[in-house]
Amino acid sequence: LGVADPGRDLTDAMAALALEWARHQGDYAGLILKQGSPSCGLAGVKLCPSPGEPPAPVGVGLFARTLGELAPDLPLAAEDWLEEPDRRHQFLSQVFARQRWKNLLVAGATPARLGRFHARHRYQILAHCPQALGELEGLVREPDGARWPLQIAAYGRLFQSALAGQPPRRPAPRG
């Protein structure tokens, strides 16, 4: 959007931009956003509660918040998160799995293809959200021809949501 005048309010323009990106979120496997940005920051963004009050580093940028609300399955990461091995692994795992899901949909999600997809990602799902595994396996195990499009959509939503969960931390080895 660019800001030549720092006093100019770009809230509406930023909200419109986020809405446009959310409409096209299916085109992306994930997004890396600028850390601390008033528009794109995912955490600790300095927000001014009201005119004249000092900013407090407690918020989420408008673009990031809107995108997260409108496209909750889209993996998002702040650039500095990629410096942390666990967060980097989490984000990249989500991105690659989302891309494989999109490829499955493009190829045509038949029951056999979904079964192979699920088998490939079973342990990844188990690591991130064990409680989702049973429901996902039920969708794979019992394809219903008349309801198949709804089952595929349900599987996709639950799969993406399951991968967004943080896997449990492994205890430190005892030595």
Side-chain angles (χ1 to χ4, degrees):
L1 291 173
V3 181
D5 174 9
R8 184 173 165 210
D9 185 355
L10 296 171
T11 304
D12 293 338
M14 184 57 64
L17 181 64
L19 180 60
E20 186 64 23
W21 271 76
R23 282 189 189 125
H24 297 285
Q25 62 92 17
D27 297 342
Y28 307 102
L31 291 176
I32 300 170
L33 301 174
K34 181 73 177 158
Q35 169 210 349
S37 162
S39 58
C40 296
L42 289 169
V45 174
K46 292 181 182 178
L47 300 177
C48 295
S50 60
E53 290 188 36
V58 296
V60 175
L62 177 61
F63 180 85
R65 185 181 70 236
T66 304
L67 199 56
E69 290 169 358
L70 298 176
D73 295 336
L74 181 65
L76 302 175
E79 62 185 348
D80 64 327
W81 293 0
L82 301 179
E83 296 171 9
E84 300 173 34
D86 287 345
R87 280 186 150 175
R88 180 176 54 243
H89 182 266
Q90 168 79 1
F91 175 69
L92 292 176
S93 293
Q94 285 181 271
V95 166
F96 286 118
R98 180 178 169 93
Q99 186 60 49
R100 286 189 293 271
W101 175 251
K102 289 170 50 177
N103 293 346
L104 172 73
L105 296 178
V106 169
T110 65
R113 286 180 179 150
L114 181 61
R116 287 190 299 271
F117 177 89
H118 182 75
R120 178 178 186 178
H121 295 92
R122 186 176 194 283
Y123 291 107
Q124 190 177 8
I125 296 163
L126 189 60
H128 288 272
C129 188
Q131 58 272 30
L133 189 60
E135 189 174 346
L136 287 166
E137 288 184 342
L139 291 168
V140 172
R141 209 175 23 252
E142 300 170 18
D144 179 347
R147 296 178 30 91
W148 184 244
L150 296 174
Q151 285 180 285
I152 284 294
Y155 185 99
R157 282 190 304 275
L158 186 55
F159 174 71
Q160 296 288 329
S161 175
L163 292 190
Q166 288 289 347
R169 286 207 171 273
R170 287 183 225 120
R174 294 182 184 179

